[in-house]
């Protein structure tokens, strides 16, 4: 991939850990474009139908990668997804894995109206740090950052950190 002026960032973590909220604020702070994969899968038909058991669209990885490739080549994208195991490694300059404490996550998922089965699965995913392990297996360790996302203060700190990182990236590339 040619060097890009603006970085691509992946913000990932278990559902409910705060990805979308963090991405929206980070996009405002940095001027980068937020791409919410779940939403695009539904809107642009990047799926293989609907899974009744899990009550979600069955994501088609090839369709997602093909659809996003031109935008990722341009750079300046913040990708929001609850997994980190199928995007091309070359896409990202920074991978942020958001983490939430068990009790905090439970409350958020309950408030979302998830079934107890879905809550249980997601809690297990967070406790077993599935997404963090995926990120560490898929990207160079030096670009993977694990950040807490329990409180509003955590979120503000995370957005500030991402903003400073983007500023530095852009500065280094323009020198
Ligand atoms: P995700 O995109 O990871 O599923 P969301 O961004 O939709 O998570 O957040 C789920 C809920 O938790 C939202 O109501 C959001 O406002 C709240 N939330 C997320 N992160 C935090 C945080 N760090 N502090 C307080 N509330 C948060």
């Amino acid at each position: 991939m040619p060097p890009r002026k603006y970085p691509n960032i992946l913000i990932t973590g278990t559902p409910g850990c705060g990805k979308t909220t963090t991405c929206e604020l980070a996009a405002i702070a940095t001027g980068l474009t937020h791409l919410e994969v779940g939403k695009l899968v539904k809107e642009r038909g990047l799926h293989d139908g609907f899974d009744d058991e899990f009550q979600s669209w069955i994501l088609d990885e090839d369709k997602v990668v093909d659809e996003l490739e031109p935008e990722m080549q341009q750079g300046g994208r913040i990708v929001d997804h609850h997994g980190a195991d199928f995007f091309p490694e070359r896409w990202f300059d920074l991978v942020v894995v958001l983490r939430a404490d068990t009790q905090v996550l439970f409350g958020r998922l309950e408030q979302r109206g998830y079934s107890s089965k879905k809550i249980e699965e997601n809690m297990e995913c967070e406790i077993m740090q599935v997404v963090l392990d995926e990120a560490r297996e898929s990207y160079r360790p030096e670009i993977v950052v694990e950040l807490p996302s329990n409180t509003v203060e955590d979120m503000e700190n995370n957005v500030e950190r991402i903003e400073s990182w983007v500023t530095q990236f852009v500065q280094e590339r323009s020198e």
Side-chain angles (χ1 to χ4, degrees):
M1 250 168 117
R4 37 189 176 254
K5 204 166 147 196
Y6 297 100
N8 290 322
I9 303 172
L10 172 62
I11 299 192
T12 187
T14 308
C17 65
K19 295 180 297 294
T20 301
T21 320
T22 304
C23 286
E24 281 168 356
L25 295 173
I28 293 169
T30 59
L32 304 190
T33 304
H34 175 198
L35 297 176
E36 192 179 339
V37 173
K39 207 163 139 191
L40 297 178
V41 164
K42 192 173 155 193
E43 286 174 3
R44 302 190 193 172
L46 313 174
H47 55 75
D48 280 331
F50 195 74
D51 186 323
D52 285 324
E53 193 193 340
F54 290 97
Q55 287 294 299
S56 60
W57 294 98
I58 305 162
L59 182 148
D60 183 320
E61 297 179 355
D62 292 339
K63 284 184 191 163
V64 170
V65 171
D66 288 350
E67 176 76 17
L68 298 189
E69 183 69 52
E71 293 202 48
M72 301 311 290
Q73 292 227 9
Q74 271 182 29
R77 264 53 183 187
I78 304 180
V79 174
D80 168 355
H81 189 54
H82 56 76
D85 62 348
F86 74 92
F87 302 117
E89 191 183 353
R90 63 190 152 77
W91 273 9
F92 297 108
D93 304 291
L94 176 69
V95 175
V96 176
V97 183
L98 296 178
R99 302 300 308 274
D101 291 342
T102 317
Q103 278 314 309
V104 172
L105 190 68
F106 182 83
R108 289 183 194 159
L109 296 175
E110 207 176 31
Q111 206 161 28
R112 244 182 206 183
Y114 275 11
S115 66
S116 37
K117 182 170 174 249
K118 214 164 166 176
I119 293 180
E120 213 171 288
E121 275 165 9
N122 284 311
M123 298 287 288
E124 195 177 307
C125 171
E126 183 61 10
I127 292 164
M128 302 296 288
Q129 59 176 60
V130 172
V131 183
L132 180 63
D133 286 348
E134 267 178 26
R136 286 184 174 152
E137 278 160 26
S138 308
Y139 302 97
R140 286 177 292 120
E142 60 268 33
I143 74 160
V144 179
V145 192
E146 180 187 7
L147 297 175
S149 178
N150 294 304
T151 62
V152 171
E153 199 189 348
D154 285 341
M155 190 178 300
E156 286 168 359
N157 287 339
N158 295 343
V159 171
E160 244 172 63
R161 215 169 139 164
I162 293 165
E163 189 183 1
S164 322
W165 183 89
V166 170
T167 306
Q168 200 185 334
F169 181 99
V170 174
Q171 222 160 28
E172 280 170 7
R173 294 286 164 117
S174 64
E175 277 164 7

